[in-house]
Amino acid sequence: MSIFDIAGCLVHRFSSFPGFVAAIMLLGAASAHAESMGDADDLANLSLEELLATEITTLSRKAENLGGAPAAVFVISQSDIRRSGARSIPELLRIVPGMQVAQIDGNKWAVTARGANGRFANKLLVLMDGRTLYTPMLGGVYWDVQDTDIAAIERIEVIRGPGATMWGSNAVNGVVNIITKHAADTQGGNLSVSGGQGGVESVLRFGATNDDFAYRAFAKVLDRDGNVSLAGDDIGDDTDMVRFGGRIDWDRKNGDELTVSGEAYAGTSGEYRISRSVTPPYEVINERETDVSGVFALARWSRNIDDDSQIEARVYFDSYDREAPTYDEKIATIDFDVQHRFRLGDRHDLVWGVNFRRSDSQTEGTFEISLDPADRTQNLVSAFIQDDISVFGDKARLMIGSKFENNNLSDRNIEVEPSVRLATDFGENGTIWVAASHAVRMPSRGELDGRVVSAVLPPGQPSFPLPVPLVPTANGDGSMKSEEVTTYELGYRMRNDALFVDVALFYNDFDDLRSLTPAAPICAPSGDILQINPACLATATHVEAPLIIQNDFRTETAGVELAVSRQVSEWWRLQGGYTYFHIVNESAGVLAGLAVQEDSPDHQVSLRSSMDLRQNFELDIWLRWVDDLEGQQIDAYTAMDLRFAWSPKPALMIAAGGRNLLAGDHMEFMSELVDLAPVQIEPEAYIDIRWSF
Amino acid sequence: MVLSRHISRTVLCCAVLWASLPQTEAAETAAEVTVKAAVVHKIAKFVTWPDSAFESPQSPIRFCVVGNGRIYDALRRMGDRPIHGRPVAVIRAPEPSLAAANCDVLYLTRDAERRAAEWLDVVADEPVLTVGDAGEYGGNDSIVMLTIRRDKVRFAINLEANSNTGLSISAQLLQLAAAVGGGA
């Protein structure tokens, strides 16, 4: 029902377009009552938090039931955020059944859904208020800098499976939409200080409002302690960061809404890296730091043209600078987006839009990583249209649409990313949905232009005896094209006043995946091919064995994702999740390259218990079991997060808790670039104090 | 000529009259009212009344509605769901002088706005949860103030208004409020 307009999630890329949230939470609930949007029974089944997220105009405007969202969606709510005790976005994403989240070290994460995980997991698109956090440099998200005032996040919407029709390329395995609070929802002063074995951080925020104008500003400082090596020694994966930001919302009485937001940050991210050179000792493990800084500014304007149409325009500028031990990168991006949504007759709800993005990137390489050409300008132009149609006498909804994209770095003129989705009522309070979609992942700059050293083997290897070191590298020769997936999904969800169940099954057929093809070894620095001119060894400092990045890999994956929520009593809620992931089939005889396929656990289980004890106490227990990673020889582990919060006065909340308990020092993931030494994640205890004034 | 002057004067007159009318707020839609009723019903679950507010453990929680808003019907539809194990009764509010004895929740609709101060005054020191409806703008001194922003229902909590009622408001509710006013 589109009150809750799950479609919102598919249809709208940003927060201010009608609805999404509640939608998702509501899911099947309302759909059983076709005749009555806003049915009292349906609403009574919602929590207060969900009610507050329910859009009343959408509710009245789309008075017919459309059968729920035809996609695998999950929303992390404000209470999830507070009660998780999480201090970063990746930690929050662990809440979502179907997400695969693993911590690499104190500031690096591997985050994806439905496989192909990695530090540069490149098949998950992440957005904050419509601004992409995905970097086109090496692909994926730099989680060490993608932070904000966590308490000012309104919600996080996660759509698993292709979202390319609405959101564009790289939304292959899922889309994460982080939506920050309206400035009017962060009023007054707020000071949060937390500290523990994992370091300290504090956030100071102030907000005020004047009639229809509201703003907030915040400053955040964090100093996080790192983890330990396999031997249990402290290593250098510490993090420090200073961040300032703010947001202004101006809601005109005529229905115009203007939002302006921005942030700036600077800090360092430490790591325990394998540094390589062609002189002895060739490979050493040492503590190194990356200097990071960045800034963004975003403006968004929307207008209700009339009851049946809405237009929204957005522009943002985003720039960052990373000076890593391996190479430096700077990128500046400007993005323009316009969307128009309108009703056509009684059955059609259309949304279409156009987008232009330009990125200028500059790099400075080292022996270990370099890009050629060092600098590039990328232009991305795209348009999409999607129709949300109510069918079968409003018992079902059909969503059909496509995105069309052109990127000056891609070999194809136009990438077409269509999808068809259908949802219909099924049984008491239930919705069943099916979907077929096609999405692409565009090659990163690293894959097109990069040269990445993956090892330095000392002279005299038994299998390849040479007088000089042998250096295998992954090389982009500019020929890589987009990876492609066709996905088929089937889902069911139901909800009544005590129980919510959501199951999604998927089957992914990937083609043109990144592969590595061995090329002839060459002498460096002369560049002679060793087989043709063996004499080149005489002057060589080393021999390079290039692996050329191509698109010769195929695979098929499948899985099941289950989310269950049970309101045991008014004060006790249980939420469970189970994820099964399976590689059905993969092409033999090619090197899968950096996209290691065994980097996702077969099984994951999560159980959260949230209790409201008396008036002012909250007790949260969160258990996670993650299966082993065969490809990395990382063992299965069980971890528990605990949080106990007490609010002695309305303006004060004191919480104490622990993260990653039970698991001891444990490894969760290794960087696929083989550039980091193994790190064991440590359990930690913390105290968190929040004061409003 | 005379006719045209007459018409133009009439038009001008009407325009002045129209312009001088107060801007009417958009009427509450059925959906808005339903969501508000659900929100108020939920909010009551986060509030603890002193035992003295009820005659017996089986006594209902009484929602009194002041004014003609459709919220009355919407609350009644919500009414078969108990709160704190007590049944819910929804009634149209009697006179202000009777409110303290007969109401546990007092909902002041927008069209009760002019008399809001009178109602709020008589229950200020009683265990009565007052709920006001600000519409888009404005408001009164109710403990809970409902507003609409960007198509969503929001509520603010005024702790000062609650300082003498004996009601206990849970920390979870304060976390969900768009604003908490009136000091700690």
Side-chain angles (χ1 to χ4, degrees), chain A residues 283-591:
Chain A
E283 292 190 347
V284 288
I285 295 175
N286 50 17
E287 298 178 10
R288 303 292 294 272
E289 282 184 346
T290 298
D291 290 328
V292 295
S293 61
V295 61
F296 79 82
L298 177 145
R300 185 174 63 198
W301 166 81
S302 75
R303 164 172 283 185
N304 291 320
I305 300 168
D306 56 43
D307 281 352
D308 287 332
S309 73
Q310 185 175 36
I311 190 161
E312 175 158 331
R314 187 196 60 214
V315 57
Y316 70 79
F317 170 79
D318 189 328
S319 153
Y320 71 75
D321 188 344
R322 296 181 71 89
E323 294 178 13
T326 41
Y327 95 127
D328 297 347
E329 67 180 59
K330 266 185 213 185
I331 182 165
T333 301
I334 188 146
D335 183 290
F336 301 91
D337 192 277
V338 177
Q339 289 192 25
H340 177 216
R341 180 187 190 197
F342 62 99
R343 302 265 296 164
L344 193 66
D346 292 339
R347 301 183 166 274
H348 296 266
D349 189 345
L350 282 111
V351 57
W352 66 277
V354 292
N355 178 275
F356 172 74
R357 181 182 303 159
R358 179 186 179 94
S359 301
D360 280 302
S361 54
Q362 300 175 328
T363 67
E364 195 169 316
T366 66
F367 165 71
E368 291 165 88
I369 299 182
S370 58
L371 269 59
D372 181 21
D375 306 341
R376 280 257 207 190
T377 296
Q378 279 170 277
N379 294 319
L380 178 70
V381 182
S382 66
F384 78 94
I385 183 162
Q386 180 163 286
D387 192 6
D388 185 350
I389 312 162
S390 124
V391 292
F392 303 131
D394 298 336
K395 289 281 183 222
R397 69 190 294 186
L398 173 68
M399 297 179 80
I400 184 161
S402 183
K403 183 123 185 167
F404 307 91
E405 252 178 334
N406 172 268
N407 183 329
N408 67 329
L409 296 194
S410 151
D411 67 320
R412 271 182 220 118
N413 285 330
I414 300 276
E415 304 280 5
V416 180
E417 297 163 286
S419 69
V420 182
R421 296 173 179 272
L422 179 73
T424 182
D425 295 353
F426 188 79
E428 182 85 3
N429 297 330
T431 298
I432 196 162
W433 59 271
V434 292
S437 39
H438 182 76
V440 306
R441 180 187 71 86
M442 290 197 179
S444 67
R445 277 214 59 203
E447 289 164 324
L448 289 168
D449 305 331
R451 170 188 163 281
V452 179
V453 168
S454 53
V456 175
L457 306 173
Q461 295 293 315
S463 58
F464 205 70
L466 285 175
V468 291
L470 178 67
V471 179
T473 59
N475 289 40
D477 64 358
S479 69
M480 186 176 169
K481 55 191 181 183
S482 294
E483 297 181 334
E484 296 192 54
V485 68
T486 304
T487 299
Y488 305 93
E489 295 171 276
L490 171 66
Y492 168 76
R493 63 176 74 90
M494 69 78 65
R495 172 172 193 147
N496 60 33
D497 53 0
L499 185 67
F500 167 75
V501 177
D502 182 309
V503 195
L505 287 78
F506 67 89
Y507 169 82
N508 282 327
D509 186 357
F510 284 100
D511 200 359
D512 289 339
L513 286 177
R514 179 175 62 195
S515 61
L516 295 175
T517 303
I522 54 173
C523 291
S526 70
D528 292 318
I529 293 175
L530 182 60
Q531 286 157 293
I532 294 175
N533 180 13
C536 71
L537 277 176
T539 57
T541 57
H542 60 284
V543 168
E544 285 201 15
L547 297 163
I548 307 298
I549 298 173
Q550 294 185 333
N551 294 80
D552 290 333
F553 191 63
R554 293 181 54 112
T555 188
E556 290 157 61
T557 61
V560 180
E561 298 149 345
L562 170 69
V564 179
S565 175
R566 170 130 184 98
Q567 194 74 41
V568 181
S569 70
E570 274 188 20
W571 53 272
W572 188 19
R573 189 178 192 197
L574 284 174
Q575 288 163 283
Y578 168 71
T579 308
Y580 172 67
F581 176 74
H582 179 59
I583 297 168
V584 180
N585 186 12
E586 58 189 18
S587 52
V590 265
L591 280 164

Side-chain angles (χ1 to χ4, degrees), chain A residues 44 46 56-57 59 185 251 615, chain B residues 31 34 42 48 149-151:
Chain A
L46 299 184
I56 53 177
T57 52
L59 210 115
D185 287 337
D251 297 354
Q615 286 281 301
Chain B
T34 310
K42 291 284 181 204
T48 309
R149 199 177 57 249
R150 289 198 173 173
D151 290 344

